[in-house]
């Protein structure tokens, strides 16, 4: 057989070296062709008496990025088609057989009778790391950037090629569950301490060290296939087992609120699998994997958090025909927390930064944030002093706008005030070159109106970061009415350079993300004014799938900022543009009680210097009435919190603010954490079905008001039974 993805060589000692090097890809991924070729190689190694053992390694900088999840999308589509044509039973059987091919391949390798060694150079994730786990020995090259892990849970799946069963036999079940449920990518030192990797050697010695283990008598039998094997944590039904699984179940419920079928499946397959022989345990894992693969949550998460995000990261929205931007220097006006953070991520990407503020002291203070952030990385063992000094050398702090002269891109991140921004724009365009792209980091002010103060609106664009910039992965790019393709291309190239995910939206007050977020926060405010206990609001939000409650989120972004936004909206659009109950609540908190949020240690929560935050006891005094918690419909509260965000996303589609459904979904999860298990705001509506969602909104509108009224587009879709991904299918996909 001719191999496309692998090269097979056998040395004089009878050791086969299998080098995995998929052509045309920056990283090795597992697809159907890879499975076919590796199956043939495993059989050759097993059948050839002259081969004493095998080493598998990579011809790339990384070992493997995991499975190509578009392959699983194909399985799901085939299941739907087959179920319609031949019935669900036939479809389920076919899906089970297809989805367990990789598991069967790895088990065949494991019991082939020949010792296999994984020589891991760089990162090994997902199905690639499951291959390593199926080998009898694992040696990795000493690379500080290398990571290993099983991150499938992050896209609504779980390791389905034996990962749950092998990990649970390599370490106590409590540790195994934590590793599987968190889905973290861990460093080699930690992997070695957890016995997931057996040895770490210099890169130059990697393959030789793997071969030496075989020559030294390494056995081709996994510990769990040997007589007398005992589980590291003891039997499931033992004192140790009873100290693991009941508490683990409680933690699972606390952390997921049972919203993630894959997380429940991990608990189930580890619990059941540890009571069975390996082959039967793998069958249990495969059955659960096929079941989860059919779940709407997995389908939505794979689509949004893998396929769509990958396409956006690779430039799905980049204008065709515009040459790549070579950004050598970026200017940032405003060295406050936001501007300084933008400077840090820009310098961290290897780009020179000019950080401007009103005086040298303020500019230096902004640069000092980069020193602090890098020092934090050093303290965690994630960076070095040399890297910190190199990054700081790329940042020039100044009060002189003249320093912007050679910048390819200038981003203003000054105070959210139209006059302040206009002054910054005026000064910057006088100092920068005629080809410089200018961007505003405004969070609410329309880009088109800000561009009126710029001499060439075609070069003016919005680049909206989310706080904290160094941790948040989304950047919202806003097109003004006159923004040109060159500005859009430069903005997308910049976002890609700083390794974040972009979404492109059209101009609107609040754009996309803030429109949805502000509705979420407002709903929490209104619940409080209705008499719902604050703790219930926060807890129900997490039950619905949000990472934090609306009150806690408001504290993070600052109550006084929300108060300013509300007043600005009222001034620009009139009193009907704001809710009087919300206005009264914020006015009391900010102006009467001086509660500004986390930044001054008091908002909806109190933030003591030591100890966790806690809800401010005075909130009860702001409620005219207090509802009996036992009389409150928890499910309705959950529906309100999610529906009010999804409705705003639908309005953004109707108004043309959002023109790509992928961006609405990816943006909602990365930008503010909209319930990831739904796949995002529009996937949430599609998952429920537009008819069901609109009927739900009608009930909420009747009880709670016009904010729950479905827009005309959504009402029309409900009548026709349309979905967003059916009616507004994304354009051609960008190759992986």
């Amino acid at each position: 057989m001719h191999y496309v993805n692998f090269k097979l060589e056998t040395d004089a000692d009878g050791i086969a070296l299998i080098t995995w090097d998929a052509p045309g890809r920056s990283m090795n991924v597992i697809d159907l062709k890879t499975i076919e070729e590796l199956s043939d190689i495993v059989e050759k190694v097993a059948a050839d008496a002259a081969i004493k053992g095998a080493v598998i390694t990579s011809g790339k900088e990384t070992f493997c990025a995991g499975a190509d999840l578009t392959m699983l999308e194909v399985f799901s589509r085939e299941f739907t088609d087959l179920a319609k044509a031949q019935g669900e039973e036939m479809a389920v059987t076919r899906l089970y057989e297809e989805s367990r091919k990789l598991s069967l391949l790895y088990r065949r390798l494991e019991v082939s009778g020949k010792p296999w060694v994984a020589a891991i150079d760089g990162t090994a994730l997902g199905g690639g790391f499951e291959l390593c786990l199926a080998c009898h020995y694992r040696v990795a090259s000493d690379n500080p950037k290398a990571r290993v892990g099983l991150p499938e849970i992050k896209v609504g799946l779980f390791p389905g090629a034996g990962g749950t069963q092998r990990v649970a036999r390599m370490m106590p079940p409590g540790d195994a569950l934590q590793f599987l449920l968190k889905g973290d990518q861990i460093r080699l030192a930690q992997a070695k301490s957890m016995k997931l990797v057996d040895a770490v050697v210099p890169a130059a010695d990697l393959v030789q060290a793997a071969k030496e283990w075989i020559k030294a008598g390494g056995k081709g039998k996994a510990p769990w296939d040997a007589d007398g094997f005992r589980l590291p944590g003891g039997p499931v039904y033992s004192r140790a087992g009873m100290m693991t699984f009941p508490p683990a179940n409680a933690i699972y419920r606390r952390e997921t609120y049972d919203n993630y079928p894959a997380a429940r499946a991990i608990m189930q397959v580890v619990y059941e699998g540890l009571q069975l022989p390996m082959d039967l345990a793998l069958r249990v894992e495969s059955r659960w994997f096929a079941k989860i693969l059919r779940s709407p949550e997995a389908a939505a998460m794979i689509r949004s958090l893998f396929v769509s995000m990958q396409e956006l990261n690779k430039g799905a929205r980049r204008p065709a025909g515009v040459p790549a931007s070579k950004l050598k220097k970026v200017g940032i006006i405003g060295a406050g927390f936001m501007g300084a953070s933008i400077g840090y991520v820009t310098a961290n990407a290897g780009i020179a930064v000019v950080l401007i503020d009103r005086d040298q002291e303020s500019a230096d203070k902004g640069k000092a944030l980069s020193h602090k952030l890098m020092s934090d990385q050093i303290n965690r063992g994630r960076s070095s002093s040399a890297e910190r000094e190199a990054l700081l050398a790329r940042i020039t702090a100044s009060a002189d706008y003249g320093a912007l002269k050679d910048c390819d891109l200038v981003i203003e991140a000054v105070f959210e005030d139209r006059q302040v921004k206009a002054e910054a724009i005026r000064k910057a365009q006088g100092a920068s070159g005629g080809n410089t792209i200018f961007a505003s980091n405004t969070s609410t002010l329309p880009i088109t109106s800000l561009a009126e103060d710029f001499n060439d609106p075609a070069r003016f664009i919005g680049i909206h970061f989310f706080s904290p910039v160094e941790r948040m992965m989304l950047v919202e790019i806003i097109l003004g009415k006159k923004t040109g393709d060159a500005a859009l291309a430069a903005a997308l190239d910049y976002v890609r350079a700083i390794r974040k995910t972009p979404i492109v939206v059209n101009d609107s007050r609040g754009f996309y993300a803030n429109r949805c977020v502000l509705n979420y926060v407002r709903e929490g405010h209104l619940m409080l004014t209705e008499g719902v206990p604050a703790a219930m609001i926060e807890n129900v939000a997490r039950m619905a799938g949000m990472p934090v409650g609306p009150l806690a989120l408001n504290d993070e972004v600052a109550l006084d900022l929300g108060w300013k936004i509300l007043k600005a909206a009222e001034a620009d659009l009139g009193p009907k543009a704001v809710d009087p109950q919300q206005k009264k609540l914020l006015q009391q908190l900010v102006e009467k009680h001086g509660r500004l949020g986390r930044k001054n240690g008091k908002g909806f929560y109190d933030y003591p210097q030591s100890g966790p935050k806690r809800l401010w006891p005075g909130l009860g005094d702001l409620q005219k009435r207090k509802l009996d918690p036992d009389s409150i419909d928890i499910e309705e509260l959950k529906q309100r919190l999610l529906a009010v965000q999804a409705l705003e996303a639908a309005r953004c589609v109707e108004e043309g603010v959002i023109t790509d459904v992928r961006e609405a979904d990816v943006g909602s999860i990365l930008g503010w954490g909209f319930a990831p298990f739904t796949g995002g705001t529009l996937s949430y509506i599609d998952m429920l079905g537009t008819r069901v969602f609109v009927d739900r909104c009608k009930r909420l509108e009747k009880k709670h008001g016009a904010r729950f009224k479905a827009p005309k587009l959504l009402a029309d879709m409900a009548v026709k039974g349309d979905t967003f991904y059916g009616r507004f299918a994304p354009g051609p996909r960008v190759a992986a």
Side-chain angles (χ1 to χ4, degrees):
M1 181 180 184
H2 171 69
Y3 302 126
V4 174
N5 297 291
F6 298 94
K7 182 169 69 173
L8 174 61
E9 303 169 295
T10 304
D11 66 14
D13 295 314
I15 298 175
L17 177 64
I18 299 105
T19 304
W20 188 359
D21 194 358
R25 290 183 181 268
S26 59
M27 294 183 288
N28 294 320
V29 295
I30 298 166
D31 55 19
L32 293 175
K33 184 65 175 176
T34 301
I35 295 173
E36 178 189 356
E37 292 182 3
L38 187 56
S39 295
D40 188 79
I41 291 171
V42 169
E43 295 305 328
K44 278 189 176 181
V45 170
D48 191 340
I51 296 179
K52 308 303 180 186
V55 173
I56 183 165
T57 192
S58 171
K60 301 184 184 297
E61 292 183 357
T62 59
F63 183 81
C64 176
D68 181 356
L69 295 187
T70 56
M71 174 178 67
L72 301 183
E73 274 201 315
V74 171
F75 288 166
S76 295
R77 287 197 296 270
E78 288 179 348
F79 168 81
T80 302
D81 295 342
L82 193 59
K84 290 178 181 177
Q86 300 184 35
E88 188 163 336
E89 184 176 345
M90 179 67 73
V92 169
T93 301
R94 174 70 180 277
L95 181 66
Y96 168 71
E97 291 172 348
E98 290 297 318
S99 64
R100 76 182 305 232
K101 282 184 175 179
L102 195 60
S103 179
L104 292 173
L105 166 60
Y106 289 174
R107 183 57 174 164
R108 173 64 181 129
L109 178 154
E110 190 172 51
V111 298
S112 65
K114 302 287 180 69
W116 279 75
V117 181
I120 308 167
D121 192 6
T123 293
L125 301 174
F129 189 50
E130 286 182 285
L131 169 59
C132 300
L133 295 175
C135 291
H136 306 99
Y137 191 74
R138 288 160 295 283
V139 57
S141 64
D142 189 6
N143 181 346
K145 295 184 178 180
R147 303 287 187 273
V148 298
L150 299 172
E152 288 88 342
I153 191 68
K154 296 181 184 294
V155 290
L157 294 173
F158 69 89
T164 65
Q165 300 310 305
R166 293 187 177 94
V167 168
R169 284 163 173 76
M170 298 169 82
M171 63 183 75
D175 295 338
L177 287 171
Q178 186 176 34
F179 178 66
L180 294 165
L181 288 167
K182 291 179 70 175
D184 287 343
Q185 300 176 24
I186 62 175
R187 295 169 180 272
L188 294 180
Q190 185 180 357
K192 189 171 184 294
S193 70
M194 295 168 71
K195 299 183 179 179
L196 295 170
V197 168
D198 297 296
V200 178
V201 301
D205 301 334
L206 179 63
V207 171
Q208 189 58 37
K211 290 183 174 183
E212 289 298 332
W213 183 82
I214 295 173
K215 289 194 285 185
K219 303 297 182 184
K221 179 176 282 191
W224 38 87
D225 290 321
D227 293 338
F229 172 71
R230 293 187 177 184
L231 295 171
V236 169
Y237 286 99
S238 65
R239 178 179 294 181
M242 290 303 99
M243 292 176 68
T244 298
F245 286 98
N249 186 57
I251 294 170
Y252 154 75
R253 295 278 176 174
R254 182 191 71 194
E255 295 299 319
T256 71
Y257 293 96
D258 211 20
N259 285 323
Y260 294 85
R264 176 190 279 192
I266 287 173
M267 300 283 294
Q268 194 76 32
V269 297
V270 171
Y271 174 76
E272 292 182 10
L274 290 180
Q275 301 176 63
L276 300 169
M278 189 61 166
D279 287 300
L280 195 52
L282 291 172
R283 178 172 291 189
V284 168
E285 181 192 73
S286 293
R287 290 190 180 279
W288 274 99
F289 185 76
K291 177 181 174 64
I292 295 305
L293 196 55
R294 293 163 51 206
S295 71
E297 291 86 354
M301 290 180 74
I302 289 172
R303 182 174 63 195
S304 293
L305 295 175
F306 179 79
V307 178
S308 294
M309 192 158 73
Q310 186 178 75
E311 289 165 358
L312 295 178
N313 285 337
K314 289 179 178 293
R317 293 297 309 279
R318 195 180 189 283
V322 180
S325 307
K326 298 178 180 178
L327 299 172
K328 297 179 180 179
K329 184 187 291 187
V330 172
I332 298 162
I333 306 171
F337 182 71
M338 181 62 76
S341 299
I342 297 171
Y344 167 74
V345 298
T346 305
N348 201 34
I351 301 171
V353 173
V354 176
L355 191 59
I356 301 289
D357 213 306
R358 62 182 179 272
D359 53 54
Q360 189 63 46
E361 182 181 357
S362 299
D364 289 339
K365 184 178 178 181
K367 181 175 179 177
L369 177 66
S370 290
H371 186 282
K372 178 185 181 301
L373 291 172
M374 285 299 291
S375 297
D376 290 343
Q377 293 295 308
I378 294 170
N379 293 337
R380 295 188 184 102
R382 297 176 181 175
S383 190
S384 65
S385 297
E387 288 173 319
R388 178 180 62 192
E389 296 311 309
L391 182 143
L392 293 174
R394 288 192 288 272
I395 302 175
T396 300
S398 176
D400 180 10
Y401 274 75
L404 299 173
K405 181 180 179 182
D406 298 323
C407 289
D408 306 295
L409 170 69
V410 174
I411 304 170
E412 70 81 3
V414 299
F415 189 67
E416 193 73 356
D417 179 278
R418 190 178 295 276
Q419 297 305 316
V420 175
K421 289 183 180 295
E423 179 67 11
I425 293 168
R426 184 187 64 77
K427 289 182 178 179
Q429 68 181 337
S432 57
N435 294 319
T436 302
I437 303 299
F438 197 92
S440 173
N441 179 55
T442 179
S443 56
T444 57
L445 298 174
I447 291 299
T448 302
S449 63
L450 291 177
E452 293 173 358
D453 296 306
F454 195 70
N455 56 15
D456 184 3
R459 292 188 285 116
F460 196 99
I461 195 166
I463 301 181
H464 176 214
F465 288 86
F466 296 80
S467 184
V469 175
E470 65 275 9
R471 294 208 301 269
M472 299 297 287
M473 294 308 300
L474 185 76
V475 175
E476 193 175 32
I477 295 174
I478 305 102
L479 299 177
K481 288 184 179 179
K482 296 183 179 180
T483 301
D485 282 352
L488 173 57
L492 287 168
D493 291 344
Y494 167 67
V495 172
R496 185 173 188 177
I498 61 174
R499 297 182 289 276
K500 295 190 183 292
T501 297
I503 62 170
V504 181
V505 304
N506 286 321
D507 205 6
S508 164
R509 191 180 192 90
F511 318 126
Y512 168 62
N514 277 345
R515 283 178 59 168
C516 296
V517 168
L518 291 175
N519 274 9
Y520 173 59
V521 170
R522 179 182 65 177
E523 201 62 29
H525 292 169
L526 296 181
M527 287 177 178
L528 190 67
T529 63
E530 291 166 13
V532 180
M536 179 175 283
I537 296 168
E538 298 292 87
N539 289 333
V540 168
R542 293 192 65 229
M543 291 169 65
M546 299 300 294
V548 295
L551 308 183
L553 179 59
N554 200 176
D555 274 3
E556 293 297 328
V557 299
L559 271 63
D560 60 328
L561 176 60
W563 175 230
K564 289 171 185 174
I565 291 172
L566 187 145
K567 288 193 294 183
E570 185 177 38
D572 289 352
L573 305 174
K576 291 184 178 180
V578 302
D579 189 290
Q581 294 299 319
Q582 183 189 30
K583 177 181 176 181
K584 182 178 178 181
L585 176 65
L586 284 176
Q587 188 173 24
Q588 285 181 303
L589 285 164
V590 175
E591 296 190 349
K592 182 178 178 181
H593 297 283
R595 304 190 70 85
L596 309 183
R598 180 185 280 275
K599 68 180 183 180
N600 78 332
K602 52 184 183 179
F604 286 101
Y605 287 78
D606 283 323
Y607 298 87
Q609 290 187 349
S610 60
K613 67 182 181 184
R614 53 179 178 264
L615 282 163
W616 177 43
L619 288 177
D621 297 333
L622 302 182
Q623 294 177 300
K624 286 186 176 180
R625 60 172 180 157
K626 297 179 176 62
L627 298 177
D628 177 4
D630 292 334
S631 70
I632 298 173
D633 186 338
I634 298 296
E635 189 59 33
E636 183 183 283
L637 293 184
K638 290 164 61 177
Q639 290 176 7
R640 285 173 62 181
L641 290 168
L642 295 184
V644 77
Q645 300 175 72
L647 274 169
E648 195 63 26
R651 293 185 190 107
C652 286
V653 173
E654 183 178 64
E655 295 169 19
V657 175
I658 285 287
T659 59
D660 190 314
V661 290
R662 296 172 296 186
E663 293 177 312
D665 279 343
V666 172
S668 66
I669 296 175
L670 296 188
W672 69 92
F674 183 86
F677 70 91
T678 68
T681 46
L682 299 184
S683 283
Y684 169 66
I685 297 174
D686 280 1
M687 186 185 294
L688 287 174
T690 47
R691 288 173 182 167
V692 172
F693 181 75
V694 168
D695 286 345
R696 176 177 293 179
C697 290
K698 287 178 180 177
R699 292 194 298 271
L700 292 173
E701 180 188 5
K702 185 176 180 180
K703 187 173 181 179
H704 298 287
R707 66 186 181 277
F708 288 104
K709 181 178 178 61
K712 185 179 183 300
L713 170 67
L714 197 53
D716 179 62
M717 290 173 64
V719 170
K720 297 177 180 177
D722 282 349
T723 63
F724 280 98
Y725 278 84
R727 185 160 175 167
F728 303 101
R733 286 181 171 171
V734 177

